[in-house]
Amino acid sequence: MEYANDLDVLLAVDKQTNQDKGSRTADKWRPPRREYWCEYARRYTGVKAKYGLSVTAPEKRALQDMLAACPQ
């Protein structure tokens, strides 16, 4: 129940973006606006770490790619 109500997990988006993402992982979906990739990857990795969730090799590569685009 804690996960489902965690504000780090919940993010308000438009209907189409929500439908497009569904339950897809970072290797299967990226935010449509490239300028949001950095924030998305940071939130994604933070939630995975907070709840001790596993990360697949394809997810890790996708997240590394998105994080590489972050401003320094």
Side-chain angles (χ1 to χ4, degrees):
M1 190 62 134
E2 183 180 338
Y3 176 86
N5 294 310
D6 187 333
L7 294 179
D8 290 332
V9 175
L10 300 172
L11 183 64
V13 298
D14 63 81
K15 181 179 178 181
Q16 188 60 55
T17 301
N18 188 51
Q19 288 177 338
D20 290 347
K21 183 190 180 304
S23 61
R24 291 177 182 86
T25 55
D27 57 310
K28 305 276 192 243
W29 182 86
R30 291 183 184 199
R33 291 179 42 213
R34 188 179 179 100
E35 60 270 15
Y36 190 67
W37 287 6
C38 185
E39 177 66 20
Y40 172 74
R42 286 180 175 155
R43 287 175 63 108
Y44 193 102
T45 55
V47 169
K48 289 277 193 170
K50 183 176 184 177
Y51 290 100
L53 302 172
S54 63
V55 177
T56 66
E59 272 181 300
K60 184 177 180 179
R61 282 191 299 278
L63 290 164
Q64 288 172 328
D65 288 347
M66 285 188 268
L67 290 169
C70 294
Q72 299 302 320

